Amino acid sequence: MTATLGACGTGTNSGDSADTEVRVWLVGTDTPDEARDYLKKTFEEQNEGATLVIEEQTWDGLVDKYTTALAGSDVPDVVEVGNTQASAFTSSGYFSEITAEEFEELGGSDLLPGFVEAGDWEGKHFALPYYAGSRAVFYSPELVEDEPPATLDEYVDQAKDLYKEGKFSGHWWPGQDWYNALPFVWENGGFIAEQAADGTWEAGFSSEGGIAGLSQVQDLMLNASNAPADAQETDLQIPFCEGKIGYLSAPTWIQWSINAPEEPETEDGVPGCASTYGGDLEAFPLPGKDGGPAQVFAGGSNIALAQKSANRELAYEALKIILSDEYQTIIGKTGLIPAKVSLAGEVPQDTSIGKAGVEAAATARLTPATPKWADVEAQTVLQTHMTRLANGDDVEQVAADLDAEIESILNG
């Protein structure tokens, strides 16, 4: 879907921009319309004669699509990419280097350090932070009367107590969802993969902590969830809106899908449930093994300039707007965590959702920093083995197979 947003105005001209079209690829619907409008309007005011077009992409099949597009002749100028996918493109030369001077102009040390690291390659900057997000546990007090659990073990027990087979999920767990499995592994002392001094990678799902975490995951899948064993983590607001879920662990931005109108104004709109279970929506950070927020996966995106862009100068002007305080403040006010540390206070914290998101973000973690991790995701390795857990397969065997496959890819 291409969103061509109207704007007008004149202003300073950045070089010879007459009749030039700058294409910005944004993924999914997380970037709010207000931010898109601001980007287009401001860019066209500052670059007389140039046009900025936002082309919306989908997360499904993103790596393959980007690989083809960025290597071809019809190349976008500015692209959003998932933080775990960034290194696959930086290491392959698909993104234009951000010079040290440009890096400082765009935010420098104020940019989210973990996301800066995700977009660096061989000591140089290529993809910078766009926004971050953390996961929180959503629920409706109308359906869940218990006080939020204090520990991870209590969370599992409460979710199982709420479960009514075929009717109500204490915790909704689509079988392919690996993002929500990571905190259980981390909190139990396990790890995804670690690099040894000789450069080889060792996967850790079959470690003692990994087995303990995956055992809790399977317990929730089999004894607290009615989600299909082969389902993806998409359109989670639909079963929630139907009143079929007690606890839903999801990125904080799902609140906007849940609280969208029940009947969207356009065919492409996402149906929500503002008049039913969304109206009293509450959230809390997933509790850790010993209390306090658990270590959850830090979702979010990086933003980069395409190496083969024919409009590098104008693309950089667009990037400056995207990383400006004004644009990032718009991002923050919608509940996403801005790319700049100094703007974290812009995230509304007058609700339990805002508070939960900020608390969870403080201990959030990323996947291994290697360009080959994108191959792990592209080959749906974790999704396949999570589905096996949801089907009741032996945890230790699943963990061993998962580790073997991850090590084969990372060390290949």
Side-chain angles (χ1 to χ4, degrees):
M1 179 178 67
T2 300
T4 305
L5 308 173
C8 59
T10 59
T12 60
N13 189 318
S14 296
D16 184 12
S17 58
D19 301 321
T20 300
E21 181 179 88
V22 172
R23 297 164 61 203
V24 178
W25 279 14
L26 299 180
V27 190
T29 59
D30 299 329
T31 299
D33 287 343
E34 183 182 354
R36 299 178 190 225
D37 290 340
Y38 179 83
L39 172 60
K40 181 175 175 65
K41 181 175 185 294
T42 304
F43 176 85
E44 293 180 355
E45 286 178 343
Q46 295 178 356
N47 302 279
E48 185 175 358
T51 302
L52 185 141
V53 177
I54 296 174
E55 299 174 356
E56 187 172 298
Q57 310 302 314
T58 61
W59 289 111
D60 187 35
L62 186 73
V63 172
D64 289 340
K65 180 171 185 178
Y66 271 35
T67 300
T68 300
L70 294 171
S73 57
D74 186 23
V75 182
D77 301 290
V78 183
V79 294
E80 174 188 356
V81 62
N83 61 338
T84 64
Q85 302 164 337
S87 59
F89 297 104
T90 59
S91 63
S92 299
Y94 288 125
F95 294 157
S96 174
E97 181 187 348
I98 304 297
T99 67
E101 182 179 352
E102 290 172 337
F103 179 73
E104 292 304 320
E105 184 179 25
L106 294 168
S109 61
D110 194 26
L111 296 171
L112 294 171
F115 283 71
V116 170
E117 181 182 353
D120 284 357
W121 181 249
E122 295 185 338
K124 299 178 181 180
H125 304 301
F126 290 93
L128 299 183
Y130 181 34
Y131 65 79
S134 56
R135 290 169 182 268
V137 180
F138 291 85
Y139 71 100
S140 168
E142 185 177 341
L143 298 173
V144 179
E145 298 178 356
D146 298 334
E147 288 294 317
T151 67
L152 195 61
D153 290 343
E154 289 181 15
Y155 179 82
V156 173
D157 289 341
Q158 280 194 18
K160 291 165 63 177
D161 288 342
L162 291 166
Y163 176 61
K164 297 180 179 64
E165 186 173 3
K167 297 181 179 180
F168 191 79
S169 289
H171 173 109
W172 183 261
W173 203 309
Q176 293 191 43
D177 177 14
W178 60 273
Y179 300 107
N180 279 310
L182 298 185
F184 289 85
V185 171
W186 286 327
E187 286 296 316
N188 280 283
F191 60 99
I192 302 174
E194 295 178 348
Q195 193 170 27
D198 63 0
T200 59
W201 287 88
E202 176 190 2
F205 286 99
S206 58
S207 65
E208 182 179 352
I211 294 295
L214 292 182
S215 295
Q216 285 191 306
V217 169
Q218 187 178 63
D219 194 11
L220 286 170
M221 287 175 161
L222 299 180
N223 302 308
S225 175
N226 290 313
D230 60 349
Q232 298 179 350
E233 192 199 27
T234 56
D235 294 327
L236 299 176
Q237 78 282 353
I238 294 177
F240 187 93
C241 292
E242 293 173 348
K244 296 179 178 179
I245 297 176
Y247 291 140
L248 175 65
S249 181
T252 52
W253 53 78
I254 199 174
Q255 63 181 297
W256 308 116
S257 295
I258 291 175
N259 282 318
E262 289 182 277
E263 298 182 4
E265 296 179 0
T266 66
E267 291 184 3
D268 296 327
V270 178
C273 55
S275 64
T276 51
Y277 301 111
D280 61 350
L281 191 64
E282 298 284 348
F284 58 88
L286 181 72
K289 190 74 174 177
D290 300 316
Q295 304 165 82
V296 296
F297 170 68
S301 293
N302 283 57
I303 195 85
L305 306 178
Q307 174 63 34
K308 296 181 68 174
S309 167
N311 309 299
R312 209 278 185 182
E313 182 180 349
L314 285 171
Y316 180 71
E317 293 300 314
L319 184 60
K320 284 200 297 186
I321 297 170
I322 290 171
L323 291 176
S324 68
D325 286 359
E326 292 79 9
Y327 184 95
Q328 288 294 320
T329 293
I330 297 172
I331 291 287
K333 290 189 180 302
T334 65
L336 297 172
I337 297 171
K340 295 181 175 179
V341 175
S342 62
L343 297 177
E346 298 297 335
V347 180
Q349 297 182 50
D350 55 349
T351 67
S352 64
I353 299 172
K355 292 178 181 177
V358 171
E359 288 179 24
T363 56
R365 298 176 60 176
L366 298 173
T367 50
T370 166
K372 292 186 177 181
W373 182 258
D375 295 330
V376 175
E377 292 192 24
Q379 294 178 36
T380 65
V381 174
L382 287 109
Q383 293 92 323
T384 298
H385 293 292
M386 289 301 114
T387 297
R388 291 177 60 195
L389 289 180
N391 282 316
D393 285 14
D394 179 73
V395 172
E396 293 189 10
Q397 186 61 58
V398 170
D401 294 344
L402 179 55
D403 280 354
E405 199 163 348
I406 289 175
E407 289 174 1
S408 174
I409 294 173
L410 298 188
N411 294 318

